[in-house]
Amino acid sequence: MAAKYGVTNPVPPWKTSLDGICDALDRSNCEADTPNFKDRRDEEDALSATVYADLPYPENQLVALAHSLVERGIINEAELQERLAVIRARLEA
């Protein structure tokens, strides 16, 4: 994707936010069905190797995490779509 859009730094600016979210989940003591580090990484590895194998890294990591959070009911698809629409509008403004 970086070459397609002429990006010289292939690490997207949102990667640090993704890493922060993963760190927060790893240290979470929520009562929700929040995956621990091992579960999150196992799910991420499995999804990245199968369902999202055609996506480049770190996009596959991001989508795998979203997938896991939706599957666990931590966020629902409608909520995720709303948040993505807000972000897209901000980026396109």
Side-chain angles (χ1 to χ4, degrees):
M1 286 185 110
K4 179 179 177 180
Y5 293 101
V7 175
T8 57
N9 181 0
V11 178
W14 49 262
K15 178 67 169 107
T16 54
S17 295
L18 175 61
D19 292 342
I21 290 169
C22 291
D23 287 346
L25 287 170
D26 294 344
R27 290 169 178 75
S28 174
N29 290 326
C30 297
E31 292 181 19
D33 189 20
T34 306
N36 63 33
F37 174 79
K38 183 180 180 334
D39 292 342
R40 184 183 59 74
R41 286 303 310 268
D42 288 347
E43 289 173 11
E44 179 186 308
D45 290 345
L47 289 166
S48 294
T50 56
V51 178
Y52 303 115
D54 292 338
L55 291 176
Y57 177 83
E59 285 82 358
N60 60 2
Q61 179 187 16
L62 175 64
V63 176
L65 176 62
H67 181 117
S68 293
L69 296 178
V70 168
E71 285 294 313
R72 291 170 176 273
I74 294 170
I75 187 171
N76 65 45
E77 286 185 47
E79 232 179 335
L80 183 58
Q81 288 175 346
E82 288 172 17
R83 292 179 186 201
L84 289 172
V86 169
I87 293 167
R88 183 177 307 276
R90 190 172 61 226
L91 290 173
E92 293 175 349

